[in-house]
């Protein structure tokens, strides 16, 4: 009889625990994850810069984007982003510094090594799947490989 009551109590507690939990999932689809900047095309001059020796990465998770240079040549930046259809808006950038605290950016040149040239910038998504992403604006076409 006691075993029966213990089973009921444990079952009830488990039901309450699972009912109160919510799984937080991202709706970013193929965009989520770590992307390596592979090529930057300058549209006005038809210039092509293959980024073979460079280590610039874009890392998407939920509503945050982190820009990071794994070689340490450029500062790390956190931005908010909105992904709507074939539009990707980047905005509200911060210099990423966990030790001293993240600081709002007022100079977009910090983001130039990553292909971002404005504090609020929108790209058209020309291609996006589980392996490849291509973004473009009026000036640049950025090609990425997913890691």
């Amino acid at each position: 009889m006691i075993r029966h009551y213990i089973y009921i109590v444990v079952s009830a507690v488990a039901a309450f625990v699972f009912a109160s939990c919510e799984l937080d999932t991202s709706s970013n689809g193929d965009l989520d994850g770590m992307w390596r900047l592979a090529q930057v095309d300058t549209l006005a001059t038809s210039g092509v810069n293959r980024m073979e020796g460079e280590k610039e990465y874009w890392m998407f998770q939920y509503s945050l984007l982190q820009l990071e240079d794994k070689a340490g040549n450029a500062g790390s930046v956190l931005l908010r982003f909105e992904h709507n259809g074939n539009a990707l808006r980047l905005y509200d950038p911060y210099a990423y510094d966990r030790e001293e605290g993240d600081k709002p950016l007022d100079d977009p040149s910090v983001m130039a090594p990553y292909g971002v040239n404005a504090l609020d910038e929108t790209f058209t998504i020309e291609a996006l799947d589980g392996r490849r992403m291509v973004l473009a604006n009026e000036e640049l076409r950025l090609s990425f490989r997913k890691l």
Side-chain angles (χ1 to χ4, degrees):
M1 189 71 157
I2 293 177
R3 190 180 282 167
H4 180 68
Y5 288 120
I6 291 173
Y7 176 75
I8 291 173
V9 170
V10 169
S11 296
V13 169
F16 286 122
V17 167
F18 287 118
S20 67
C21 292
E22 254 184 63
L23 293 177
D24 202 9
T25 59
S26 168
S27 61
N28 295 327
D30 287 331
L31 187 61
D32 267 346
M34 184 178 214
W35 295 88
R36 183 181 168 276
L37 183 57
Q39 182 172 308
V40 178
D41 301 336
T42 304
L43 301 177
T45 63
S46 299
V48 174
N49 183 12
R50 289 181 176 76
M51 307 289 286
E52 293 167 1
E54 304 299 320
K55 296 180 180 180
E56 279 80 22
Y57 294 90
W58 289 31
M59 296 169 283
F60 293 90
Q61 185 175 16
Y62 297 100
S63 63
L64 289 178
L65 166 61
Q66 181 178 350
L67 307 177
E68 185 172 336
D69 181 351
K70 297 290 187 180
N73 297 323
S76 197
V77 177
L78 287 176
L79 303 103
R80 298 215 176 271
F81 73 90
E82 294 173 357
H83 175 208
N84 294 312
N86 70 341
L88 179 65
R89 177 182 172 224
L90 311 180
Y91 64 98
D92 198 20
Y94 281 75
Y96 181 66
D97 186 349
R98 285 293 170 219
E99 292 178 20
E100 299 294 324
D102 302 337
K103 305 271 191 281
L105 284 179
D106 57 6
D107 180 8
S109 67
V110 174
M111 299 181 293
Y114 304 102
V116 180
N117 294 309
L119 298 174
D120 190 327
E121 187 160 16
T122 300
F123 290 92
T124 299
I125 301 171
E126 294 183 347
L128 177 61
D129 60 32
R131 299 180 330 246
R132 177 176 164 274
M133 175 172 64
V134 178
L135 304 176
N137 61 15
E138 303 81 30
E139 300 170 11
L140 302 174
R141 178 174 291 112
L142 309 174
S143 298
F144 298 84
R145 286 185 296 134
K146 193 164 198 176
L147 300 176

